[in-house]
Amino acid sequence: MSKNTRTILICSGKGGVGKTTLTANLGIALANSGASTAVLDADFGLRNLDLLLGLENRIIYTAQDVLDKNCRLEQALVRHKKEPNLALLPAGDPRMLDWMKPEDMKKISELLSEKFDFVLVDCPAGVEDGFKNALAACKEAIVVTNPELSAVRDADRVIGILNTSDIEPIQLVINRVRPNMMASQEMLSIEDVQGILSLPLLGIVLEDEQVIISTNRGEPLTLTDTLSPAKKCYLNVSERLTGKDVQIIDPKNEGKSLKDKFMRLMQTKIF
Amino acid sequence: MTLRDLINKLLGRETASANTARERLQLVLAHDRVDMSSLTTDLLDKMRKEILDVVAKYVEIDFEEVAVSLETEDRMTALVANLPIKRTLSGDIKFKKNDKNDKNVKGEKDTRK
Ligand SMILES: Nc1ncnc2c1ncn2[C@@H]1O[C@H](COP(=O)(O)OP(=O)(O)OP(=O)(O)O)[C@@H](O)[C@H]1O
Ligand SMILES: [Mg+2]
């Protein structure tokens, strides 16, 4: 009980911005750094976290069974074979949405807190009950967004709600960053997004096709040996989350081709 | 201004879309954020009219140029009214078109933080 567990809500408002991918990669990275870590799929409507982690065939019990006392927490937790420091607590079936209350989520997160250093809660999109239940289980939050109008707007609504709760700190991750487009000013810059949302920036994640490839394989990038732009970012976010004093990856330094260099030249302030 | 902006200007091209995105976002968020603290568009329209009524008691306003809107910066939302004055009611004509200092009402602070 005295364990100082960090339960972190991974939320976004808008769907499809990269919450589940971040949860899976961050979960592996934290576990790999030595912290015992649980990832909780709070997206009961459309569960996916098991797929991204490649654990979909090993689920026997779910969070629902734990709440119903059909099983003990340990029985429902799915340990990752390649990263035993990481365990998944799978979402129950979508009907859970009908009866689930914030207290139920709180109960689950308290159980997990007794065993783990980090609990990452993969939140459903939207700002309705599913989100509010997940929120009740957490102490901190990471808001994931993309450098796009609709994603930033929805993130702002979520931040508005978070600000009325006692969640603290609330940090920002900007996903699917394209350095080229930012350099040619055809994409909102990191400064734009951060300035508009006024949250401390935990990190950025570059747009990277390896994300899709690793999802196909059910192996998060942070688990593989491939050196890819997004993997570097996930590791950076993980380090910063554990309090390591490392710089945020700067998209201006990413992209090494001649075209990138030209784009950067064009971005130079002349007056 | 960046090198790219300059070239765009010289070629008469549109400015980069990130600028447009930023401006549109700031506007829509100003409204979203106030909506949250229950100032609806309806109320805003009503308030706009009442402000004009009050000001019109004292000076003649150029109604064509009136703009009352919400602007947001650093999570602070302000009500900004630009009410160009044609002349004071006492008679002396003073053209002050587009004078920014006509009226500037600081709005309520965004209740969130
Ligand atoms: N950095 C990235 N580069 C490329 N593709 C990405 C990146 N991040 C996420 N994606 C892709 O975006 C899609 C949505 O990602 P993900 O499922 O993680 O989002 P989500 O926020 O959890 O969605 P939902 O709201 O539906 O739960 C996936 O197809 C994923 O592969
Ligand atoms: Mg998801």
Side-chain angles (χ1 to χ4, degrees):
Chain A
M1 271 319 280
S2 61
K3 225 173 163 171
N4 248 339
T5 305
R6 292 177 65 184
T7 41
I8 309 177
L9 183 74
I10 317 267
C11 59
S12 67
K14 186 171 157 59
V17 300
K19 294 176 291 298
T20 307
T21 318
L22 179 70
T23 308
N25 278 287
L26 207 50
I28 296 274
L30 289 168
N32 189 252
S33 75
S36 70
T37 305
V39 286
L40 167 60
D41 193 346
D43 195 350
F44 302 112
L46 304 159
R47 73 175 204 204
N48 272 323
L49 189 54
D50 51 346
L51 268 183
L52 263 69
L53 288 164
L55 299 174
E56 71 274 20
N57 295 326
R58 295 184 39 211
I59 295 176
I60 299 165
Y61 295 109
T62 67
Q64 183 168 9
D65 295 303
V66 178
L67 280 174
D68 290 347
K69 297 202 162 68
N70 289 340
C71 72
R72 284 174 294 114
L73 176 67
E74 290 88 307
Q75 293 173 290
L77 288 171
V78 187
R79 296 258 164 206
H80 202 287
K81 283 208 181 99
K82 291 194 187 141
E83 188 44 77
N85 262 341
L86 182 85
L88 163 76
L89 183 57
D93 75 88
R95 271 168 301 172
M96 265 182 109
L97 286 171
D98 300 338
W99 55 264
M100 209 53 197
K101 291 268 161 320
E103 296 78 62
D104 297 318
M105 276 307 262
K106 233 185 211 148
K107 182 94 190 296
I108 294 177
S109 90
E110 274 162 16
L111 288 173
L112 289 169
S113 295
E114 289 168 17
K115 294 194 154 34
F116 295 93
D117 300 324
F118 279 91
V119 177
L120 306 181
V121 180
D122 182 22
C123 198
V127 289
E128 291 81 30
D129 290 351
F131 164 71
K132 296 208 168 118
N133 289 343
L135 175 88
C138 297
K139 292 185 225 148
E140 318 179 19
I142 296 176
V143 176
V144 187
T145 192
N146 298 156
E148 286 178 52
L149 278 174
S150 53
V152 177
R153 182 194 196 175
D154 293 352
D156 191 71
R157 292 210 51 201
V158 164
I159 295 164
I161 298 171
L162 292 176
N163 276 342
T164 62
S165 71
D166 33 53
I167 296 252
E168 171 79 25
I170 308 167
Q171 302 185 83
L172 183 67
V173 168
I174 306 175
N175 185 29
R176 310 199 74 152
V177 168
R178 298 172 185 231
N180 283 344
M181 288 191 74
M182 278 187 183
S184 59
Q185 291 175 40
E186 301 294 0
M187 182 173 258
L188 287 166
S189 69
I190 303 299
E191 294 74 27
D192 284 341
V193 177
Q194 198 205 345
I196 286 166
L197 295 177
S198 315
L199 284 189
L201 187 63
L202 179 62
I204 65 144
V205 182
L206 295 164
E207 172 82 25
D208 182 356
E209 57 185 38
Q210 288 297 327
V211 171
I212 297 167
I213 296 171
S214 74
T215 306
N216 291 342
R217 299 212 166 101
E219 276 190 354
L221 277 178
T222 42
L223 197 62
T224 62
D225 297 328
T226 35
L227 252 183
S228 86
K231 177 183 175 182
K232 181 170 152 193
C233 296
Y234 288 127
L235 293 176
N236 177 262
V237 170
S238 167
E239 288 187 333
R240 287 175 53 82
L241 193 63
T242 53
K244 275 226 185 84
D245 187 20
V246 288
Q247 288 294 307
I248 294 172
I249 304 226
D250 186 351
K252 292 194 190 78
N253 304 329
E254 304 302 314
K256 296 278 183 281
S257 70
L258 203 59
K259 183 169 171 238
D260 297 331
K261 284 181 186 145
F262 175 72
M263 287 300 194
R264 280 204 282 280
L265 175 71
M266 297 291 282
Q267 215 186 356
T268 323
K269 283 231 160 45
I270 45 178
F271 54 82
Chain B
M1 173 178 275
T2 63
L3 203 52
R4 161 173 287 269
D5 291 337
L6 179 69
I7 292 168
N8 281 341
K9 211 161 208 159
L10 292 177
L11 297 176
R13 282 203 301 227
E14 266 187 280
T15 53
S17 63
N19 290 330
T20 321
R22 192 188 315 113
E23 281 159 19
R24 292 179 60 211
L25 200 50
Q26 264 152 0
L27 268 176
V28 75
L29 287 188
H31 287 264
D32 282 357
R33 286 173 184 175
V34 172
D35 269 349
M36 302 269 297
S37 51
S38 82
L39 191 57
T40 58
T41 320
D42 250 20
L43 280 175
L44 189 64
D45 290 346
K46 197 159 164 246
M47 185 165 66
R48 192 179 285 127
K49 188 174 168 300
E50 284 178 23
I51 291 173
L52 290 186
D53 286 348
V54 171
V55 179
K57 273 194 213 161
Y58 302 95
V59 289
E60 195 180 324
I61 310 167
D62 183 354
F63 279 90
E64 308 253 293
E65 299 288 324
V66 163
V68 180
S69 63
L70 294 166
E71 288 175 18
T72 294
E73 213 168 293
D74 283 340
R75 298 200 86 77
M76 249 282 268
T77 300
L79 177 68
V80 179
N82 192 3
L83 314 172
I85 298 170
K86 273 188 174 164
R87 58 178 160 182
T88 61
L89 290 186
S90 57
D92 41 325
I93 304 166
K94 285 188 200 160
F95 275 98
K96 278 179 79 182
K97 241 181 176 178
N98 282 329
D99 188 333
K100 279 259 164 34
N101 302 324
D102 292 335
K103 197 161 201 275
N104 199 337
V105 192
K106 265 274 168 206
E108 72 181 296
K109 206 176 162 214
D110 187 338
T111 51
R112 293 181 243 163
K113 212 169 238 181

